[in-house]
Amino acid sequence: DAGITQSPRHKVTETGTPVTLRCHQTENHRYMYWYRQDPGHGLRLIHYSYGVKDTDKGEVSDGYSVSRSKTEDFLLTLESATSSQTSVYFCAISLAGGADTQYFGPGTRLTVL
Amino acid sequence: AQSVSQHNHHVILSEAASLELGCNYSYGGTVNLFWYVQYPGQHLQLLLKYFSGDPLVKGIKGFEAEFIKSKFSFNLRKPSVQWSDTAEYFCAVLNAGNNRKLIWGLGTSLAVNP
């Protein structure tokens, strides 16, 4: 398995609180992605990064921000969590971007009460 | 908008039965195609992929998929399933005009009864 870790693995928080999820990779891959997985919606891209400090929005970016200050870390922040953001969040990495295989982390289960 | 359609949302099979999961996409240009699997409680893993060449692609664990360009399809097959194949299967498509973003199908949940 690719060297991808996500922290925390589980989190319960309250509406209105900020939450930061961390994705850490040891593969030195250039591209990193944040997805959310929800029943009936499959995987939806939130944000992605194509290099340090280079990020772009995915299809469901509202309410989320990201930062990438180092190659190995990609942070996803929910500025003010809402119940609609209860989901399983997956980080993925790829070496060369679009045409390359994406490798996934173990996921973070987030519950917003 | 580009889309990926997985026709079967839930499939139940007995062990040793043959499997075929459908995947169709809407983009008409050059595509790269993927099948991922997610075992219960685990992360997604790549089963197989097609970029070019032989349209019949062999993957891990005895899975294969065939790219039929004229039908915009990339169906996943396995001749004889096992209980351990119980999982969710996702098809994903990248087109040449898409900026490094895969388009994902909604997934097919496969349950194999022993």
Side-chain angles (χ1 to χ4, degrees), chain B residues 10-32:
Chain B
H10 300 281
V11 174
I12 302 174
L13 295 173
S14 298
E15 275 194 318
S18 64
L19 170 72
E20 181 161 3
L21 301 182
C23 174
N24 286 87
Y25 59 93
S26 62
Y27 181 67
T30 301
V31 291
N32 296 323

Side-chain angles (χ1 to χ4, degrees), chain A residues 31 37 48 98-99 101-102 105, chain B residues 36 38 43 49 51 94 100:
Chain A
Y31 294 88
Q37 185 179 32
Y48 69 101
T101 302
Q102 293 186 15
Chain B
Y36 281 83
Q38 186 177 26
H43 61 283
K49 61 185 178 183
F51 285 0
L94 176 84
R100 301 177 177 83

Side-chain angles (χ1 to χ4, degrees), chain B residues 38-60:
Chain B
Q38 186 177 26
Y39 297 104
Q42 296 189 25
H43 61 283
L44 282 87
Q45 304 170 42
L46 181 70
L47 262 182
L48 48 79
K49 61 185 178 183
Y50 172 81
F51 285 0
S52 63
D54 188 344
L56 185 60
V57 179
K58 303 279 186 190
I60 61 171

Side-chain angles (χ1 to χ4, degrees), chain A residues 31-94:
Chain A
Y31 294 88
M32 300 185 75
Y33 310 80
W34 276 109
Y35 290 92
R36 60 178 290 175
Q37 185 179 32
D38 305 286
H41 292 277
L43 278 167
R44 292 181 290 176
L45 182 66
I46 304 171
H47 282 278
Y48 69 101
S49 169
Y50 46 96
V52 173
K53 297 186 180 176
D54 291 323
T55 64
D56 203 352
K57 295 179 180 180
E59 59 181 307
V60 290
S61 58
D62 287 348
Y64 302 94
S65 62
V66 290
S67 66
R68 191 165 178 204
S69 58
K70 298 184 290 185
T71 298
E72 57 265 36
D73 288 325
F74 191 32
L75 303 181
L76 176 71
T77 297
L78 291 65
E79 302 290 346
S80 177
T82 67
S83 58
S84 65
Q85 293 175 312
T86 293
S87 185
V88 180
Y89 291 85
F90 286 100
C91 173
I93 66 173
S94 69

Side-chain angles (χ1 to χ4, degrees), chain B residues 67-80:
Chain B
F67 171 49
I68 304 179
K69 188 174 182 179
S70 61
K71 294 185 178 181
F72 302 93
S73 71
F74 189 54
N75 291 354
L76 181 71
R77 300 194 292 248
K78 185 170 183 179
S80 177

